[in-house]
Amino acid sequence: MKQDLIIAVDVGTSSLKVGLIGPDLDVLHCADHPYPVSYPGAGCAEQDPRDWWRALRLALGKLSDSCPDLRARAAGMVIASQMCGVVAVDREGQPIRPCMIWLDKRAAAIAREVMGGFPKLFGYGLFKLMASIRLTNGAPSLNGMDPPAKMLWLKRHEPEVYARAWKLLDVKDWLLLRATGQAVTTADLANVTWMMDTRKGREGWSGTLVERFGLKRELLPDIVEGTASPGGLTATAAAELGLPAGLPVFAGAGDVCAAAIGSGAVEDGELHISLGTSSWISGFYPGRRLSASEGYATILSPFGNRPLLIATQESAGSCLDWLDSMMGSEPEPPQSGLTPPLFLPWLAGERVPVDDNRLRGAFLGLSLQHGRASLRQAVIEGVALNTRWAWQSVARQKGTKHAHLLRAVGGGALNATLCQALADCLGVDIAVARDPRNAGVRGAAAIAAAALGWRASVWEAARSFDRSSETVYRPAAARQAYFDGRFRLFHDAYKRNAPWFRDAFETSTDD
């Protein structure tokens, strides 16, 4: 039987999705399985890595029901995943403790301490910032989400775990280790540790930066191309997953890079937005880009080290999920003639354009007349306004193309009200593909297609995606004027409330 199916795995914050993709790169079958996030303390967010493996096994079981000959038809497996997690494993590859995922900000004070100093610029010690930018084109976030601060937290607060650790891996890297027995990473994940030298011709782990953080180089996995296969499925992994031993497993990419490829927006300067639990504006550029004052930069993609700009915001779909958990998701008629309150969407702090884990969410201007429909509209507008805050900077970057059109992917892109609000607020057309939730799966499949020789390159694979069924949301002039006024209020609300949030954070015993 012909091996004509790619198994593409997309590991998100709340669930793992597996797609079966044929040679035309259409998603033929898809299945997912959820898992929990644990919040064991202030600023903490953890997941059990074994939950990801269990979800992979169960999702593949569902797909085997839909495609009984999957085992025989599988050509290869590829993994994309959430980024900025830290999984400490022993020499057998077993997790020593739960993974500190990207939402975990407990190490913020350590990040500010390690990257601080005099004179100070943008919250960083000037000379440390300059050295980090020269080598990596950026610096660790001061909000504590990036891996080095988490690794240092383990070293200081759980020294027995740190001493036992054989490797400190990101989410995708642990799944690759579990599947193949090999500990490797890709350039995108290595770059966001800010311990990788990204200068042209010198790409690789920087001994200087590893030493600066007081960590050990041997704890870090080797860096490989996303199209490389560190090995085939081990006999044990194959038996658990119901797949053939030796099936090629490709190194893949982090979720940002996979979504960028899956969006099809892969020309230099062409942007897309991903709307999931968090959100980001991203696109490939011909060279490095950096906004140190606003907390975003290009990182290396795992395909020839092509630069990929990432401007990440911490809360998007999570704001709507939070509201639903409080009030339910049953629709209500809009409250016509009543302006909704202003919502500040910083439920998990913020990254871009302000790097501050101490910011918090709020409704401003509530009245007795406001009901559930008004609050829902406020949350949608708050996400759109926050996106505009980052977008207005990214859109000005040298070489940005198609600034009038933004492709949207992720589960949030299924929300027509949100997409229209983004179009009105940003003043650009928002284009949504038929299956925006599968962008990560499609991007991962493009990686495997290039590795298997189905396409000449990852970029050719991305360009071949069908865009004929896109839905385009166009801005309405009257709503643009409305959002212009709301954005002025939004920005003023940040300036007035940020000092209060920071004071409250520092004095609170709960946060």
Side-chain angles (χ1 to χ4, degrees):
M1 184 174 291
K2 186 176 181 181
Q3 294 174 311
D4 61 350
L5 292 178
I6 291 169
I7 300 171
V9 182
D10 184 10
V11 187
T13 305
S14 58
S15 67
L16 178 146
K17 179 183 295 184
V18 183
L20 300 185
I21 289 86
D24 60 0
L25 302 188
D26 278 345
V27 180
L28 303 177
H29 302 282
C30 208
D32 59 12
H33 192 81
Y35 35 70
V37 178
S38 172
Y39 301 97
C44 302
E46 298 181 343
Q47 287 180 324
D48 185 342
R50 286 164 291 219
D51 284 344
W52 308 326
W53 187 257
R54 178 173 176 270
L56 175 58
R57 179 172 56 81
L58 293 173
L60 282 169
K62 297 175 188 176
L63 289 175
S64 294
D65 293 338
S66 304
C67 182
D69 51 2
L70 172 59
R71 180 184 177 91
R73 293 176 61 186
M77 184 166 75
V78 61
I79 302 173
S81 77
Q82 54 173 295
M83 302 168 66
C84 295
V86 173
V87 184
V89 301
D90 61 21
R91 289 193 173 274
E92 284 69 49
Q94 295 299 314
I96 303 172
R97 71 176 316 282
C99 172
M100 301 165 69
I101 67 170
W102 65 274
L103 271 171
D104 196 299
K105 308 288 185 3
R106 76 185 77 181
I110 293 176
R112 289 193 286 268
E113 170 198 327
V114 172
M115 292 305 298
F118 180 83
K120 195 175 289 291
L121 181 66
F122 310 133
Y124 294 87
L126 174 62
F127 301 113
K128 291 179 182 177
L129 179 63
M130 290 174 62
S132 185
I133 288 174
R134 182 175 66 86
L135 295 177
T136 73
N137 194 46
S141 168
L142 298 178
N143 70 12
M145 75 171 286
D146 288 338
K150 294 171 180 170
M151 294 174 183
L152 279 176
W153 189 94
L154 288 176
K155 185 177 180 181
R156 294 185 185 184
H157 297 278
E158 297 182 4
E160 70 288 351
V161 169
Y162 185 83
R164 284 182 58 201
W166 171 62
K167 296 291 181 186
L168 298 176
L169 305 174
D170 210 325
V171 174
K172 174 176 69 66
D173 307 337
W174 182 79
L175 285 166
L176 286 170
L177 175 64
R178 184 71 180 79
T180 70
Q182 302 299 313
V184 298
T185 191
T186 47
D188 51 344
L189 300 186
N191 200 157
V192 296
T193 68
W194 309 107
M195 293 184 283
M196 180 185 180
D197 192 330
T198 67
R199 293 175 295 174
K200 192 172 181 60
R202 305 185 188 185
E203 295 90 349
W205 293 116
S206 166
T208 299
L209 293 174
V210 173
E211 184 177 343
R212 169 175 293 168
F213 288 113
L215 300 168
K216 297 181 291 186
R217 164 63 184 89
E218 56 266 28
L219 289 172
L220 306 175
D222 293 335
I223 303 170
V224 300
E225 281 279 302
T227 51
S229 175
L233 280 179
T234 65
T236 300
E240 293 178 354
L241 299 179
L243 296 171
L247 180 74
V249 181
F250 303 107
D255 55 1
V256 177
C257 190
I261 296 166
S263 74
V266 295
E267 305 307 320
D268 282 342
E270 189 177 10
L271 300 176
H272 77 279
I273 182 171
S274 179
L275 299 168
T277 302
S278 61
S279 67
W280 59 77
I281 301 168
S282 181
F284 294 96
Y285 281 77
R288 285 180 168 190
R289 298 291 186 274
L290 170 69
S291 177
S293 63
E294 293 167 304
Y296 69 86
T298 51
I299 65 169
L300 299 184
S301 71
F303 315 107
N305 296 319
R306 187 182 180 194
L308 174 66
L309 184 145
I310 308 174
T312 301
Q313 297 191 307
E314 301 292 73
S315 300
S318 57
C319 296
L320 288 165
D321 290 343
W322 168 81
L323 187 68
D324 287 347
S325 71
M326 297 293 106
M327 299 185 174
S329 57
E330 289 297 318
E332 282 192 352
Q335 295 180 265
S336 58
L338 183 63
T339 300
L342 189 69
F343 177 66
L344 308 182
W346 310 311
L347 300 183
E350 193 47 281
R351 178 70 181 262
V352 174
V354 174
D355 183 6
D356 196 337
N357 67 301
R358 298 164 295 184
L359 297 182
R360 285 296 177 264
F363 287 102
L364 302 179
L366 280 171
S367 74
L368 291 172
Q369 286 72 41
H370 287 129
R372 191 170 68 184
S374 288
L375 296 186
R376 175 169 290 276
Q377 184 62 30
V379 170
I380 287 173
E381 291 185 5
V383 172
L385 290 164
N386 203 46
T387 303
R388 175 170 169 166
W389 202 14
W391 163 256
Q392 65 184 10
S393 174
V394 175
R396 291 194 300 266
Q397 280 289 336
K398 180 181 178 182
T400 299
K401 298 177 182 177
H402 309 300
H404 64 285
L405 175 69
L406 193 60
R407 300 192 183 279
V409 299
L414 291 172
N415 188 319
T417 305
L418 175 58
C419 289
Q420 187 60 56
L422 284 167
D424 295 336
C425 187
L426 274 59
V428 300
D429 291 351
I430 302 294
V432 180
R434 179 184 59 198
D435 54 353
R437 290 175 297 181
N438 290 337
V441 166
R442 286 163 64 91
I447 298 168
L452 291 165
W454 293 7
R455 297 290 190 279
S457 68
V458 172
W459 320 117
E460 182 183 296
R463 294 184 187 105
S464 72
F465 294 150
D466 180 13
R467 291 181 173 177
S468 61
S469 58
E470 282 185 335
T471 300
V472 179
Y473 298 85
R474 305 189 188 282
R479 295 295 291 173
Q480 283 185 261
Y482 166 80
F483 274 109
D484 287 344
R486 295 290 276 180
F487 184 72
R488 287 191 290 271
L489 290 174
F490 183 86
H491 196 255
D492 187 56
Y494 162 73
K495 291 189 292 185
R496 293 174 182 271
N497 287 281
W500 187 90
F501 285 133
R502 290 166 186 150
D503 287 346
F505 184 93
E506 298 299 337
T507 57
S508 173
T509 57
D510 300 322
D511 207 349

